[in-house]
């Protein structure tokens, strides 16, 4: 049974996505939205059961890959028939100097949830590490931008 909470799920190699998740959690908390942040390590598809809204925060590494700690979770969710009834959004971290694979992991998460019938609550947000801005600042601002609409819909 869903509790109306928002789950922030983190796929990271270096920990930057975790720092971004803290800022998203703060922004949503400031809007009165209950959240729980989970690293994707060892999670199965049932990890999303208690959440109406799923926020994915994922870096990209290698050749556009999902970080190691998120790969099994991605595969588990890929095997689910439907994610209808869930809402989602994705904050993707990447570096535009790798043009061919820029934010590909985030794009994979976004496509997975959309293809499985989940409702997108905010467009995929891409942070460019070479832009000179702090990913965590952008993550917090991004979440604050859609948090009010999420609260009203709840």
């Amino acid at each position: 049974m869903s509790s109306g909470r928002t789950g922030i799920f983190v796929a990271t190699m270096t920990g930057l996505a975790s720092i971004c998740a803290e800022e998203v959690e703060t922004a949503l908390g400031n809007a009165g939205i209950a959240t729980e942040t989970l690293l994707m390590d060892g999670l199965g598809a049932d990890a999303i059961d208690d959440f109406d809204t799923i926020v994915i925060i994922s870096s990209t590494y290698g050749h556009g890959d999902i970080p190691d700690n998120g790969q099994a979770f991605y595969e588990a969710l890929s095997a689910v028939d439907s994610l209808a009834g869930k809402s989602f959004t994705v904050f993707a971290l990447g570096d535009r100097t790798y043009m061919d694979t820029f934010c590909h992991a985030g794009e994979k998460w976004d496509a997975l949830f959309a293809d499985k019938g989940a409702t997108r609550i905010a467009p995929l947000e891409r942070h460019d590490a070479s832009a000179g801005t702090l990913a965590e600042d952008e993550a917090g601002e991004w979440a604050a931008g859609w948090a009010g609409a999420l609260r009203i819909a709840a």
Side-chain angles (χ1 to χ4, degrees):
M1 187 71 184
S2 179
S3 65
R5 293 184 307 142
T6 297
I8 302 170
F9 292 83
V10 182
T12 188
M13 293 295 286
T14 65
L16 179 57
S18 292
I19 295 168
C20 291
E22 292 172 11
E23 294 300 319
V24 170
E25 188 171 18
T26 298
L28 296 182
N30 289 342
I33 298 166
T35 62
E36 183 178 344
T37 300
L38 299 102
L39 288 173
M40 293 183 188
D41 307 71
L43 297 181
D46 62 341
I48 67 169
D49 289 353
D50 289 337
F51 303 103
D52 287 330
T53 302
I54 312 300
V55 179
I56 300 290
I57 301 178
S58 181
S59 60
T60 300
Y61 88 103
H63 300 288
D65 300 318
I66 291 170
D68 292 345
N69 79 312
Q71 290 180 4
F73 186 51
Y74 181 88
E75 291 303 320
L77 290 173
S78 295
V80 171
D81 289 335
S82 174
L83 294 173
K86 300 291 185 185
S87 297
F88 79 99
T89 189
V90 178
F91 186 84
L93 296 108
D95 188 330
R96 202 170 286 284
T97 57
Y98 302 99
M99 283 296 289
D100 293 342
T101 59
F102 177 63
C103 289
H104 274 205
E107 292 169 357
K108 289 175 184 177
W109 286 109
D110 186 73
L112 172 66
F113 277 85
D115 291 347
K116 296 287 184 178
T119 302
R120 184 181 289 112
I121 56 170
L124 169 67
E125 182 74 13
R126 295 171 182 88
H127 177 264
D128 179 7
S130 61
T133 59
L134 294 175
E136 59 268 29
D137 290 349
E138 287 195 13
E141 292 170 13
W142 166 75
W146 52 261
L150 181 63
R151 195 188 58 198
I152 291 166

